[in-house]
Amino acid sequence: MKALEGVKILDMTHVQSGPTCTQLLAWFGADVIKVERPGVGDVTRQQLRDIPDVDSLYFTMLNANKRSITLNTKTEKGKAIFTKLIESCDVMVENFAPGALDRMGFSWQRIQEINPRMIYASIKGFGPGAYEECKVYENVAQCTGGSASTTGFDDGPPIVTGAQIGDSGTGLHAALGIVTALFHREKTGRGQRVECAMQDGVLNLCRVKLRDQQRLAHGPLKEYPQYPNGTFSDEVPRAGHASGGGQPGHVLQCAPGGPNDYIYVIIQPPGWAPLMQIIGREDLMDDPEWSTPEARLPKLESCFHLIEGWTVTKTKFEAMEILNAHNVPCGPVLSMKELAEEQSLRATGTVVEVDHPKRGKYLTVGNPIKLSDSPSDVRRSPLLGEHTEEILKEVVGFSDEEVAEARDEGAV
């Protein structure tokens, strides 16, 4: 039995943040009913297409394991069907612009009247305040949530990360909120609102930087590359490759010198002697000018330069194997091509090959959370409106005649 089997999700989401949330719930066994506009669907079906007239990878990789119904909620029949779906489902998730569902006539108060057990989850850019009406996308969330200002190098501009921490990160937060609300409902019998703001989600993932903002009041941040020769203002600086955990780390080049031939190496106190032995500098193992974290702190750049003199003679995988054998924390910089071809990720279901009736086989990322008694499978994304008739009959309770009427009236 899947963990969320029997839970029905009314998925009113689009693009990335909402679909990330509902896809995760679908992987855990929830019946996710994706509501889309007739003839159009989720805008990502057409965005960044690599094959003409076929659902894009943008869409297929965010909408696995779902059913699709097309519904025109601007018609009276469409509104009636939507009302029946609210009655029948456990959770509704949306990431429209603020107030969109209210304008459709489905405020939180109205939804509670229709189904008091409904959990209504919303993903927005900002929480209540001066910016709540603003439109937000991934990189906007990174900039307003503290990520961009603390990413990059001190002598360069703020940088956004390739990881989708604003969209997908907030979707993961929303999924946790939903399952928590479902658990709470088991005790109270009542539904509730779940609200996730992208700014809040990014800030939660940047909490170590808010930690450092407060530490600045008591002196320089000694693990940052600005120490001891640079200067600190009253704001957390960009830290380059420095570790947020206080242990010195850096990206070092490896052979043969390609764009991703690098390895990240951390110098922990117990790792100094093994590192020096590996690179052939046994003379520095017990040298008081180098052997303690305090002694190394003013010359970390020189420390990593010494180690890089060795890593450039090894591939990143050779270096990883040698360093791991001596318990030195490290990790190769893996490209997307390397990750796509990594067999261990295929074996665990983290990278999955899926067959699609129109685009053929493609790779997607599977469920990153593994449950021992509730394994996940990954099924292809639905075609637009593929399950409309099925959902109208099974969930809404329509007869064949009523389904035909709904089509004739342009409601589906």
Side-chain angles (χ1 to χ4, degrees):
M1 178 179 176
K2 299 264 180 87
L4 295 180
E5 197 170 306
V7 175
K8 280 189 169 55
I9 312 285
L10 186 56
D11 184 1
M12 302 291 292
T13 70
H14 58 289
V15 191
Q16 186 177 168
S17 62
T20 295
C21 168
T22 52
Q23 179 172 252
L24 187 61
L25 300 172
W27 280 332
F28 284 128
D31 179 12
V32 175
I33 299 170
K34 186 174 180 71
V35 179
E36 302 185 76
R37 287 169 54 200
V40 180
D42 189 321
V43 66
T44 58
R45 285 184 183 271
Q46 301 176 45
Q47 285 185 342
L48 304 177
R49 274 181 170 161
D50 56 318
I51 303 174
D53 303 319
V54 173
D55 287 339
S56 72
L57 288 168
Y58 196 0
F59 178 84
T60 62
M61 294 178 70
L62 288 165
N63 290 281
N65 294 48
K66 302 178 185 181
R67 297 197 285 173
S68 170
I69 179 175
T70 52
L71 185 63
N72 182 1
T73 55
K74 293 181 179 179
T75 67
E76 289 306 312
K77 178 71 77 173
K79 281 189 171 68
I81 292 170
F82 189 51
T83 301
K84 292 290 289 184
L85 288 170
I86 293 173
E87 286 179 1
S88 303
C89 290
D90 300 284
V91 178
M92 181 165 71
V93 191
E94 59 90 11
N95 61 334
F96 294 123
L101 276 180
D102 290 39
R103 292 189 292 273
M104 288 168 53
F106 293 95
S107 64
W108 170 229
Q109 291 72 24
R110 175 62 183 139
I111 291 167
Q112 285 180 299
E113 291 170 4
I114 299 169
N115 182 357
R117 289 175 57 82
M118 172 64 78
I119 291 158
Y120 173 21
S122 297
I123 298 174
K124 306 299 178 195
F126 297 98
Y131 306 118
E132 63 183 305
E133 300 297 325
C134 296
K135 202 169 187 177
V136 174
Y137 291 98
E138 169 64 44
N139 290 349
V140 175
Q142 289 192 32
C143 289
T144 60
S147 175
S149 69
T150 55
T151 302
F153 291 88
D154 198 36
D155 58 353
I159 300 292
V160 294
T161 175
Q164 304 291 280
I165 61 175
D167 275 319
S168 288
T170 307
L172 297 176
H173 283 91
L176 175 59
I178 288 166
V179 294
T180 303
L182 283 168
F183 185 75
H184 186 257
R185 193 181 70 177
E186 291 298 306
K187 301 176 181 180
T188 67
R190 298 191 309 274
Q192 61 181 298
R193 285 296 306 270
V194 176
E195 296 177 295
C196 287
M198 293 169 69
Q199 181 186 46
D200 299 359
V202 171
L203 181 57
N204 184 43
L205 298 175
C206 293
R207 63 175 54 238
V208 297
K209 299 301 182 179
L210 185 58
R211 172 203 68 190
D212 293 346
Q213 180 63 46
Q214 296 169 86
R215 291 172 57 218
L216 272 173
H218 303 283
L221 306 174
K222 294 183 178 180
E223 77 279 14
Y224 276 62
Q226 289 80 2
Y227 181 84
N229 300 316
T231 58
F232 287 86
S233 70
D234 59 353
E235 296 178 337
V236 174
R238 291 184 271 286
H241 296 307
S243 166
Q247 302 293 339
H250 208 277
V251 171
L252 307 178
Q253 191 163 32
C254 297
N260 290 304
D261 288 322
Y262 290 87
I263 188 169
Y264 193 88
V265 178
I266 294 175
I267 305 175
Q268 290 181 315
W272 176 253
L275 271 168
M276 293 303 99
Q277 186 177 28
I278 290 167
I279 70 172
R281 290 302 304 267
E282 290 88 347
D283 57 306
L284 301 181
M285 290 170 58
D286 298 314
D287 185 332
E289 294 294 316
W290 294 85
S291 61
T292 66
E294 294 75 19
R296 290 191 294 272
L297 198 55
K299 44 181 177 279
L300 284 177
E301 187 175 343
S302 297
C303 292
F304 286 114
H305 182 71
L306 286 171
I307 300 167
E308 191 170 48
W310 172 80
T311 61
V312 294
T313 68
K314 309 291 181 185
T315 69
K316 58 190 176 184
F317 298 108
E318 291 170 341
M320 184 184 185
E321 184 175 354
I322 295 168
L323 293 172
N324 273 326
H326 290 81
N327 293 316
V328 175
C330 64
V333 173
L334 297 180
S335 69
M336 282 296 148
K337 182 177 185 294
E338 289 169 323
L339 288 166
E341 296 170 352
E342 176 53 55
Q343 290 306 304
S344 66
L345 297 179
R346 301 287 186 101
T348 60
T350 299
V351 174
V352 183
E353 186 176 77
V354 181
D355 201 2
H356 190 277
K358 291 193 173 182
R359 70 173 301 118
K361 296 184 186 300
Y362 66 93
L363 292 183
T364 191
V365 180
N367 194 343
I369 305 167
K370 323 295 185 188
L371 300 184
S372 62
D373 286 353
S374 182
S376 298
D377 62 341
V378 177
R379 302 190 303 276
R380 67 165 176 86
S381 60
L383 303 175
L384 179 61
E386 180 177 351
H387 306 95
T388 297
E389 185 172 335
E390 176 181 297
I391 292 166
L392 288 175
K393 290 180 178 179
E394 289 181 10
V395 182
V396 180
F398 272 16
S399 64
D400 289 337
E401 291 76 16
E402 287 171 313
V403 172
E405 288 174 9
R407 290 194 187 280
D408 290 342
E409 294 179 31
V412 297

